[in-house]
Amino acid sequence: MKSGIVGLPNVGKSTLFNCLSSAKSQIANFPFCTIESKIGVVNVPDPRLNRLEALINPERVIPATVEIADIAGLVKGASKGEGLGNQFLANIRETDAIIHVLRCFDDDNIVHVDGSVNPIRDKETIDIELQLKDLEVVEKRLEKVKRAARTGDKDAQKELTVLKLLHKSLEATVSVRAIELSVDERLNYVKPLQLITDKPVLYVCNVDESAAATGNDYVDQVKTTVADENAKVLVLAVATEADINELDTYEERQMFLEDLGLDEPGAAKLIRAAYTLLNLETYFTAGVKEVRAWTISAGTTAPQAAGVIHTDFEKGFIRAEVISYSVYDEYGSEQKVKEAGKARVEGKDYIVQDGDVMHFRFNV
């Protein structure tokens, strides 16, 4: 599961990527600095993992991770191949969620590809190019389904109704994620098309240091504009985050954050937001050898969760011994939880909950 950082050239995408990942992207004050998409594997900050480490004192701790891709900037006409359009659109189609960076600060020393700062215009530029590309996909599918619908195929007729709605909405510059559809319609007719504007999106408002804690007028404009999109907005001073990362000690970084009125780095909030955006959850395995966070999709069953560790665990699944994180935190150890009768045994139909501490019993 992978999130892609997108936006116009020169809005801070690569600087943000470098804050998140050890895989460094080049940073420069001109458009199309990033040409090849780069991928970083980023640890997901989780206070629960820190607490389990403190309680158990294991030999090693392994956090959950999420993949973040830095994708080349996009300009008007990308859907027709302008700039790096074809490459951009191919790269973004491969991601599962979008982190859309919008420039929300004034600085005459940093070039804007359109000559002025206007995050709403910038957002619309990207949206329209993605919508035009999706429109191409829908039109191709429409032609095929129309023929099947004319033969009396009931399923084709249902799909045709959905495709016509998609086509009308995209022509009206409405992204697919904002269209009202039933769960079945999305699953059966929209998901197979892999439309770019159907992907969940997080808008990152890149502000200057003075607006890191409070936002600014640009941010307010963005929040108003995306209110009907079912999307989240995160305020982040990307250049300041980069400066914080350069400090040598944790204490220095914390002092810098406190001066800005922040309780933690914005990058940590963004990573967790990306994790949620991808509909991911975490369960833990915990022992003296290792405390580890495992990544699963929301709605995963106990055998499927076991299979994340090893396929044999899923094939030979017998049962799962489960302790809710809040219970583990309250009692302070697995032994005390069991003595209190708070540990549970769950079977094959159990849906793993975010934060469960689990042991699997299996037979191969």
Side-chain angles (χ1 to χ4, degrees), residues 104 119-120 205-207 211 214-225 233-236:
C104 294
I120 307 307
C205 294
N206 183 11
V207 300
T214 59
N216 56 27
D217 289 342
Y218 290 133
V219 174
D220 293 339
Q221 292 170 26
V222 171
K223 288 181 177 178
T224 300
T225 301
V233 176
L234 185 68
V235 178
L236 202 61

Side-chain angles (χ1 to χ4, degrees), residues 248-259:
D248 293 329
T249 67
Y250 172 81
E251 288 73 18
E252 288 178 308
R253 292 192 289 271
Q254 286 302 114
M255 286 178 62
F256 199 144
L257 289 168
E258 288 172 9
D259 288 343

